Amino acid sequence: MNSIQFLLLISSALFSLGVFGLLTRRHAIGLLLSLELILNAAILNFVVFGRLYGHTHAHAFALFIIALAACEAVVGLAIVINLYRHRKTVLTDQMQLLKG
Amino acid sequence: MPSAEIMTDAVYYGLGFVTLMAAVWVVTLRSLFRAALCLGLVLAGVAGFFLLLHAEFLAFIQILVYVGAILTLVVFAIMMTERMSVSAEIISRRRVVVAGIVSASLFACLSLATQKVLWPHIREQDVVSTAAIGQQFVTVLVLPFEVISLVFVAVLVGAIAIAAKPKSSKRSA
């Protein structure tokens, strides 16, 4: 098997596992973990194709994705901790404050 | 040299196996703390792939930012909300089956689409050097680079504003 194909297979497997986690987890932090899996699959794809075609922007995009993933994790965890403090829950199906 | 090629293939497959096993654990383990540790294994595996693809700078950034910063943060958050996570993961079997079907079909679609294409082979001269990335960041990509730092400031202020304890009014909902 070509190494590109193997890496693409790994990346799509990571993405599908992340989707599986997003659909099954109830804990809000568990959802964040699955989201990190999905972002890593995207980064891996960027780096593979950047290596294949020798393009610098792929690496730059991967760096931007890592930076934005850090931001997303910080804000998400702040929201989770605040929610835990006020509502005493971290389960996504019990967060119904905005439910009409 | 065939023996070197076999070695490289073995490294690729071993790394892929470890990464995928850890990814399965991330989404299936009951204990969220262990799932977070397995996420660290996945991130390290992806960093290993970056090293194999001659993206050394990204590999170190991945270890530094993801494993060093984000994972530590996640572990702290799990510890702070630990009382909830014991009984959290009781989900219906039907939901697991549906999610499994969805993600398996997604994987089948993606892999069928990418495996049939004949990709060109990786050439040695296409390695992206760290110097070139730095050059890009101060010339072509200087605007996104600055915007990212603005986003960092906004996130810092926002996270503090959200997570800070209100001083006087103690709300207990």
Side-chain angles (χ1 to χ4, degrees):
Chain A
M1 200 192 291
N2 198 341
S3 68
I4 292 288
Q5 272 158 351
F6 176 69
L7 286 171
L8 289 180
L9 208 62
I10 294 277
S11 146
S12 41
L14 278 183
F15 178 75
S16 323
L17 282 170
V19 170
F20 179 80
L22 277 187
L23 291 176
T24 52
R25 285 273 188 208
R26 283 176 74 210
H27 199 293
I29 299 175
L31 293 183
L32 271 179
L33 294 185
S34 313
L35 210 61
E36 302 295 336
L37 277 188
I38 292 180
L39 287 172
N40 259 278
I43 299 173
L44 189 57
N45 258 354
F46 265 117
V47 174
V48 166
F49 285 113
R51 176 76 178 85
L52 188 59
Y53 296 111
H55 211 298
T56 329
H57 281 190
H59 288 229
F61 257 98
L63 272 178
F64 286 145
I65 293 174
I66 291 177
L68 290 178
C71 295
E72 161 255 313
V74 168
V75 174
L77 292 175
I79 290 174
V80 168
I81 285 175
N82 204 18
L83 212 60
Y84 177 70
R85 196 182 292 147
H86 286 308
R87 314 281 303 177
K88 295 286 170 239
T89 182
V90 283
L91 302 184
T92 42
D93 46 5
Q94 289 173 12
M95 296 176 186
Q96 31 189 290
L97 203 62
L98 292 181
K99 212 172 188 176
Chain B
M1 256 205 317
S3 65
E5 234 164 59
I6 290 172
M7 275 285 282
T8 315
D9 275 0
V11 170
Y12 264 107
Y13 290 137
L15 211 53
F17 179 72
V18 169
T19 308
L20 285 188
M21 279 307 286
V24 169
W25 284 331
V26 168
V27 294
T28 54
L29 277 184
R30 282 281 164 87
S31 156
L32 214 56
F33 184 73
R34 287 182 194 162
L37 292 188
C38 289
L39 183 72
L41 205 56
V42 174
L43 299 173
V46 174
F49 281 127
F50 289 169
L51 279 182
L52 286 176
L53 290 166
H54 290 281
E56 290 90 0
F57 180 60
L58 266 182
F60 294 132
I61 288 289
Q62 167 103 351
I63 295 286
L64 212 68
V65 175
Y66 256 122
V67 185
I70 297 181
L71 205 63
T72 317
L73 208 65
V74 168
V75 167
F76 265 115
I78 290 171
M79 284 172 172
M80 287 175 85
T81 59
E82 184 138 50
R83 266 185 301 150
M84 291 304 298
S85 44
V86 182
S87 61
E89 297 298 325
I90 304 165
I91 39 173
S92 66
R93 180 154 295 213
R94 207 170 127 248
R95 205 164 148 190
V96 174
V97 171
V98 171
I101 291 170
V102 167
S103 57
S105 50
L106 199 61
F107 176 67
C109 286
L110 285 173
S111 50
L112 275 181
T114 52
Q115 294 303 302
K116 280 184 184 166
V117 185
L118 273 179
W119 303 106
H121 275 278
I122 294 177
R123 291 175 302 175
E124 269 314 307
Q125 70 265 30
D126 280 343
V127 174
V128 176
S129 70
T130 308
I133 301 171
Q135 198 96 46
Q136 289 282 316
F137 269 126
V138 291
T139 53
V140 182
L141 295 172
V142 67
L143 185 65
F145 193 62
E146 296 298 327
V147 170
I148 281 282
S149 50
L150 206 65
V151 170
F152 273 140
V153 175
V155 163
L156 208 64
V157 174
I160 292 172
I162 291 172
K165 213 172 228 171
K167 228 173 193 176
S168 55
S169 60
K170 272 194 179 169
R171 277 196 296 164
S172 54

